[in-house]
Amino acid sequence: MFHSCSRKMAAAALVVMAGIAICTLPARHMKAADHAEATGVAGDPGADIADVFAFLDPNDNSKVVLALDVEGFIVPSELLNLSFFSPDVTYRFEIENTGDARPDASLEVTFSPQTSRSAPQTATIRFFEGHEHHPSFQFTAPTTVQTLNGTPNPFVVTTDPNTDVSFFAGLTDDPFYFDIVGFNRFVSSVLAGSPDPTQLQRARDSFAGYNIHMIALRVPAFMLRGHSANAVIGVNGVTLRKKVTVRRDDGRKDEDEDDSKGKLVQVDRMATPAVNTALIPFPRKNEYNSATPVDDAAGRFAADIVATLTALGTNSTNIGILASVAVTKGDYLRLNLNTTNTSVGAGEKVTTPGYTGFPNGRRPGDDTIDTLLYFISNQTLLSGDNVNSNDVPLGGSFPFFAPPQQPRATGVIDDNTRN
Amino acid sequence: MKQNRWCIAGVFWFSLLLGCTNRQFPRTEDSTLSVPPAVLLPSAAATDAQTLHFLQDRIKADPDDFIAQNKLAAWHLQRVRETGDLASLEIAMKAALASLATLPAEHNTGALTLLAQAEFTAHDFIASRKHAERLIELEPGKGYPFEILGDALLEIGEYERAETAFREFEQSGGIQGLTRVAIEQRMSRLALLRGDEETAERRMLKALKTALSLPVPPRETVAWCRWQLGELAFGVGNYTAAEKHYRAALTTVPGYFRALASLGRVRAARGDLPDAIAQYEHATDIIPDPSFVAALGDLYKRVGRDDDAEKQYKLFEAIGKISVYSRQQALFYADHDRQPQEAYSIAMKDYSVRKDIYGADTLAWTALKAGRLTEAQAAIEEALRLGTKDAKLFFHAGEIARAVGDEASALSYFKRAAALNPEFDPLQATIMKKSFLKSNDGVAEVAHRDWAH
């Protein structure tokens, strides 16, 4: 099935030199004629972060909405079979609130195993301050169960009465929008020395019609601000798995060893969209995924990022702008808690009057691709990829994402890809 | 006096079994007790058609929708795996290529992965290897390209490199559950090829348990592991355990064609030819895989249904011409003493690109039938180079030894085959008995009577 890093990869289409890789990773091998080929697997979709969001609740700016999604490109008819969160993955939001690259708090979400497709999983939400090993608070909440009916089940939102923290986890419509193919062709034409803007006229949303696994929290802002007077917080999405000991054939390890006791290993991270996939060269992408914002701030990947942007013709001013987002203090989504927010974005981008979105945090509807392209093109390319909003309307209240796309009746053709 | 001879013969045959140093019985006939019980796993068939239509619609609206092309390729590759339907393989291949035409591999490793897997299924192992190597370049640090590379290398007989690739896969990709399943499956296969059945069984059992522990156990993967446990048990002559495993696979996925055919084979091994025929008929109704068709023909032959057998053989001839089945075609000809030169040519061609031990065995067997004894000797040596314990390999080695007049070696190989898995094939096991008897003139008659038990 699809590797959800395809999201990040998709964003990278606008910078072909850095390359994108749509990691469509099929689950297993096939029957052949005379050899008993084993089943196969590639990738780790349940732990591969597609996007991270951080924005002030437009209905109540005293609260911050944090969200990350994994394992996208779920066809509506697949939503029941794939409607579970991996119980062996830890989903973590790292929060930085002192202006450096080191995280100062974290929110972790884990899930119980799915026992039935008609029963919710139980999520456990824990908040850690500093480097404490014991959570400041924790609570549990159910996930939203999916259905194949024409109308989706309503989102199940749980609010912890002790902390006023709200939680949602379930499938939603994939909020990202972007024409991967059009952009790839356009950028190819640029690199070939003959820019062809007509390639951007396809205006097909490569993500329309698909669903994705979404985890969202609404947290009182003061909790994330911590003891700091700093108005800006950083948010970094991380997934971790427990490392297992590889058993050898010499019998040193029991075949039924308890994997649950393993040390947590970082599988993926994401904050600013497209940094890894667009700006980090192929040989270092995995290294980047397992690194930290502290590594970023120490300049571990700075030369690669600058080199990629330079190759794309980005000037030093705009390289500086992008570097300030993802390099100088580590790759965090930086959100100013004092900047009023009144919307979820809905097609807004950096050139929109009164814009308060990405790279100030990231709202579900922000046109991040157009914004990134604006800076990469030295603030000259204004029209972007002509995919200007999500294919379905976003929600008006927490979690603010659109309900999952349900299977269509036989004969009803999906053509939401064209906006 | 005659009764006394019977008694002596019984002791002789029993001593043959015990005296075979390579005999490695499965731990107990009840080894399946340690295997998790089988349950029916839910099928996604009801929604599969909807998924297919969704993807087809998207591609129809936008042929450059490479995401839909990739998903379509994956959908069809899974279908090939579950049903053996090669028509889906062609569609998968086209979809992967269309995706790559829209977005090149540098930006579309998913499509390249699918293409490499489709090539593997189509037995174009060289292309699969090449594309796996490209994936390693494009995705450094990722484990899955090594899985594909190792699979391809294994099929072309580069065992050391395959093991290195699997070790790399294990080191870089061993965290996620399904990856661990894939690793265990491959380590099991390597162990089996090297003659270590116990490790093979242990690792396949681990694969099964890991698959069952996943949030949603993948039904075909679970069935495949159970079927493989059956194959391992069958390979060492533990027919009771094998049958349990095959039936467990069929409980998991009713109508699982691999398990049905293997169940037919083990029923034949246990002497229930009518049921064996019924199982093979069921399997061939689902997918007329040439090996199933040939086996069904052989069973018909054994029960005197010569006309039915010939129909199956003709069907085999028609299907076997598909290039993906070339090795089976060569073996079929050799097994049935048909077109020996043609069989040898096919085997030679196959071996020119695929130098695995079973390719060497096919070459050896067909060379023998074509009267090329020197080549047969060299090839069977290659086939046995890993120390694989496979009754069919030993049978072929015995026949070749006998053909060159080395009766002692022939006897040794036949003993090993008989001790390991006396009913390894409905037709060939019978032939081996006759060959064995020729190598044991003094006890020919009694050994023949004793064989079946």
Side-chain angles (χ1 to χ4, degrees):
Chain A
M1 303 310 288
F2 276 70
H3 203 282
S4 55
C5 70
S6 51
R7 170 65 44 74
K8 294 180 286 183
M9 303 306 181
L14 56 90
V15 276
V16 162
M17 285 299 287
I20 69 167
I22 300 302
C23 305
T24 312
L25 302 175
R28 47 196 71 105
H29 288 163
M30 298 66 56
K31 164 82 170 74
D34 66 351
H35 53 284
E37 62 279 57
T39 51
V41 65
D44 189 358
D48 209 333
I49 304 172
D51 284 303
V52 175
F53 303 91
F55 57 99
L56 293 179
D57 182 339
N59 303 325
D60 177 359
N61 278 192
S62 72
K63 291 182 178 142
V64 178
V65 178
L66 305 173
L68 66 79
D69 53 21
V70 296
E71 196 174 1
F73 294 117
I74 295 175
V75 171
S77 51
E78 296 175 327
L79 64 76
L80 196 56
N81 290 333
L82 299 178
S83 65
F84 64 91
F85 290 87
S86 212
D88 49 359
V89 174
T90 296
Y91 302 89
R92 179 187 288 169
F93 297 93
E94 292 182 342
I95 310 298
E96 188 288 309
N97 57 27
T98 55
D100 60 11
R102 196 170 297 279
D104 302 299
S106 63
L107 273 156
E108 286 189 0
V109 180
T110 54
F111 295 90
S112 66
Q114 187 182 50
T115 56
S116 158
R117 294 194 174 118
S118 58
Q121 292 174 268
T122 299
T124 300
I125 301 97
R126 299 181 178 89
F127 183 69
F128 297 88
E129 291 181 283
H131 297 285
E132 292 293 325
H133 294 294
H134 297 289
S136 304
F137 68 81
Q138 70 175 55
F139 66 97
T140 59
T143 59
T144 298
V145 173
Q146 305 304 315
T147 175
L148 290 174
N149 293 337
T151 304
N153 288 335
F155 288 158
V156 175
V157 173
T158 302
T159 300
D160 176 38
N162 297 320
T163 59
D164 203 24
V165 173
S166 298
F167 173 81
F168 162 82
L171 267 70
T172 68
D173 165 72
D174 192 330
F176 196 50
Y177 52 93
F178 174 41
D179 181 3
I180 300 170
V181 175
F183 251 108
N184 185 67
R185 289 175 175 167
F186 169 68
V187 177
S188 294
S189 72
V190 172
L191 293 170
S194 53
D196 180 7
T198 64
Q199 298 292 351
L200 295 170
Q201 299 306 313
R202 279 172 38 94
R204 281 196 175 272
D205 179 0
S206 303
F207 301 86
Y210 290 112
N211 297 315
I212 196 162
H213 291 77
M214 186 70 69
I215 300 168
L217 289 151
R218 183 175 54 185
V219 185
F222 74 86
M223 287 185 184
L224 304 181
R225 196 191 297 265
H227 303 296
S228 169
N230 196 338
V232 177
I233 64 166
V235 178
N236 180 36
V238 173
T239 53
L240 309 100
R241 279 188 185 277
K242 290 192 174 74
K243 186 176 179 64
V244 295
T245 305
V246 174
R247 177 180 41 72
R248 296 295 178 193
D249 288 341
D250 60 9
R252 276 181 288 159
K253 289 289 175 186
D254 188 287
E255 67 177 29
D256 292 317
E257 67 198 60
D258 183 359
D259 295 340
S260 66
K261 295 175 182 170
K263 178 186 171 189
L264 284 174
V265 176
Q266 182 170 312
V267 177
D268 197 14
R269 65 160 168 154
M270 189 181 180
T272 308
V275 170
N276 186 10
T277 49
L279 304 180
I280 302 296
F282 273 113
R284 303 195 71 188
K285 288 184 187 300
N286 268 3
E287 178 188 350
Y288 188 88
N289 278 338
S290 59
T292 68
V294 174
D295 297 321
D296 303 335
R300 185 166 163 183
F301 305 101
D304 289 314
I305 291 171
V306 170
T308 302
L309 290 169
T310 302
L312 289 164
T314 308
N315 62 29
S316 58
T317 301
N318 288 285
I319 287 176
I321 292 171
L322 292 166
S324 71
V325 172
V327 177
T328 311
K329 293 180 181 178
D331 184 11
Y332 282 101
L333 270 180
R334 300 273 173 188
L335 175 65
N336 190 324
L337 301 177
N338 293 339
T339 300
T340 301
N341 179 44
T342 57
S343 84
V344 291
E348 297 174 27
K349 53 188 174 183
V350 71
T351 53
T352 303
Y355 181 70
T356 58
F358 174 78
N360 175 41
R362 181 179 176 186
R363 301 173 297 183
D366 286 342
D367 197 336
T368 51
I369 293 301
D370 283 11
T371 296
L372 283 169
L373 187 55
Y374 175 75
F375 289 116
I376 289 169
S377 67
N378 302 319
Q379 305 182 26
T380 59
L381 189 53
L382 303 178
S383 57
D385 67 346
N386 290 300
V387 179
N388 297 322
S389 64
N390 193 33
D391 55 318
V392 292
L394 295 168
S397 59
F398 180 78
F400 296 104
F401 299 98
Q405 307 245 1
Q406 299 298 118
R408 289 171 174 77
T410 304
V412 177
I413 294 177
D414 159 52
D415 197 23
N416 285 352
T417 56
R418 187 178 293 284
N419 285 285
Chain B
M1 185 64 186
K2 193 166 183 178
Q3 279 186 332
N4 193 34
R5 281 187 62 195
W6 272 99
C7 183
I8 292 169
V11 171
F12 169 78
W13 185 242
F14 185 62
S15 66
L16 277 183
L17 292 175
L18 290 182
C20 182
T21 55
N22 290 297
R23 174 66 166 165
Q24 300 230 349
F25 282 102
R27 277 145 248 174
T28 69
E29 281 235 322
D30 290 332
S31 65
T32 51
L33 289 176
S34 62
V35 178
V39 294
L40 173 69
L41 291 175
S43 164
T47 55
D48 274 358
Q50 285 181 296
T51 301
L52 179 63
H53 289 145
F54 176 95
L55 298 171
Q56 289 172 331
D57 287 347
R58 288 181 77 101
I59 292 167
K60 192 175 177 184
D62 179 13
D64 285 331
D65 187 340
F66 71 100
I67 293 170
Q69 295 279 18
N70 286 359
K71 287 202 68 132
L72 184 71
W75 191 97
H76 278 286
L77 285 178
Q78 182 59 23
R79 184 169 171 79
V80 178
R81 183 170 182 84
E82 291 176 357
T83 67
D85 181 4
L86 290 179
S88 272
L89 178 59
E90 189 178 348
I91 299 171
M93 189 85 80
K94 282 182 180 172
L97 288 169
S99 175
L100 287 166
T102 297
L103 205 59
E106 292 74 19
H107 317 305
N108 194 1
T109 51
L112 188 61
T113 301
L114 290 155
L115 181 62
Q117 293 187 318
E119 289 162 342
F120 179 88
T121 305
H123 288 202
D124 189 351
F125 302 111
I126 303 300
S128 184
R129 179 184 64 183
K130 185 181 85 174
H131 288 137
E133 288 168 343
R134 180 68 179 134
L135 282 166
I136 290 169
E137 291 172 1
L138 294 173
E139 297 258 48
K142 295 272 188 180
Y144 79 89
F146 289 100
E147 174 196 2
I148 300 170
L149 177 65
D151 284 347
L153 290 170
L154 206 62
E155 295 302 331
I156 56 181
E158 295 189 35
Y159 296 106
E160 296 299 325
R161 287 189 62 204
E163 178 162 11
T164 301
F166 289 146
R167 294 286 179 203
E168 193 73 33
F169 175 40
E170 187 175 35
Q171 290 301 318
S172 56
I175 295 180
Q176 200 248 356
L178 205 50
T179 304
R180 287 167 50 213
V181 174
I183 289 166
E184 295 298 334
Q185 290 170 332
R186 281 154 182 81
M187 291 308 176
S188 171
R189 175 93 192 278
L190 270 176
L192 182 67
L193 287 166
R194 296 205 163 117
D196 183 357
E197 302 105 323
E198 286 199 22
T199 297
E201 184 188 34
R202 179 166 53 80
R203 299 207 74 153
M204 190 56 69
L205 190 57
K206 176 72 173 173
L208 172 65
K209 288 179 176 177
T210 305
L212 286 168
S213 73
L214 295 175
V216 177
R219 66 197 297 268
E220 197 274 336
T221 297
V222 169
W224 190 93
C225 290
R226 291 192 184 282
W227 169 66
Q228 274 293 298
L229 285 168
E231 295 294 273
L232 290 167
F234 185 85
V236 294
N238 189 344
Y239 302 137
T240 305
E243 183 168 340
K244 285 182 183 174
H245 289 305
Y246 297 143
R247 292 193 184 281
L250 289 165
T251 298
T252 305
V253 179
Y256 189 49
F257 67 100
R258 301 169 202 260
L260 278 173
S262 292
L263 182 59
R265 190 184 54 189
V266 79
R267 293 305 300 161
R270 301 184 82 178
D272 187 351
L273 296 188
D275 190 41
I277 288 171
Q279 301 298 342
Y280 269 114
E281 285 174 341
H282 190 177
T284 53
D285 280 348
I286 293 169
I287 177 72
D289 183 283
S291 60
F292 304 170
V293 170
L296 181 58
D298 293 344
L299 286 169
Y300 284 148
K301 199 89 175 173
R302 274 187 63 177
V303 298
R305 293 168 61 179
D306 288 1
D307 288 347
D308 289 333
E310 205 51 46
K311 283 178 189 167
Q312 294 301 314
Y313 294 156
K314 281 182 180 167
L315 179 59
F316 180 97
E317 295 264 13
I319 301 168
K321 288 185 168 57
I322 301 171
S323 63
V324 76
Y325 297 126
S326 60
R327 186 173 291 181
Q328 279 126 310
Q329 190 183 22
L331 281 171
F332 173 82
Y333 287 150
D335 285 347
H336 296 83
D337 292 319
R338 298 178 179 207
Q339 304 189 46
Q341 296 304 327
E342 172 71 3
Y344 173 73
S345 296
I346 296 168
M348 273 290 286
K349 188 179 173 188
D350 181 58
Y351 193 67
S352 68
V353 292
R354 199 179 163 197
K355 292 182 170 55
D356 64 310
I357 63 161
Y358 288 100
D361 172 59
T362 305
L363 183 62
W365 189 230
T366 57
L368 172 69
K369 296 301 176 91
R372 298 169 181 266
L373 296 187
T374 305
E375 288 174 68
Q377 281 181 292
I380 200 66
E381 202 170 306
E382 278 296 297
L384 296 169
R385 71 184 188 268
L386 295 179
T388 311
K389 293 171 191 161
D390 183 325
K392 191 176 281 190
L393 293 181
F394 295 151
F395 164 55
H396 291 168
E399 287 287 288
I400 291 166
R402 192 166 65 84
V404 298
D406 185 354
E407 285 293 328
S409 292
L411 176 61
S412 172
Y413 280 124
F414 292 147
K415 283 164 66 177
R416 291 177 70 181
L420 187 67
N421 182 10
E423 300 292 338
F424 63 90
D425 179 272
L427 177 65
Q428 300 303 310
T430 307
I431 295 169
M432 185 172 79
K433 290 171 199 171
K434 291 176 184 168
S435 291
F436 180 83
L437 297 180
K438 288 178 189 171
S439 301
N440 292 272
D441 294 337
V443 290
E445 181 187 351
V446 288
H448 175 65
R449 287 171 182 271
D450 198 60
W451 184 287
H453 305 288

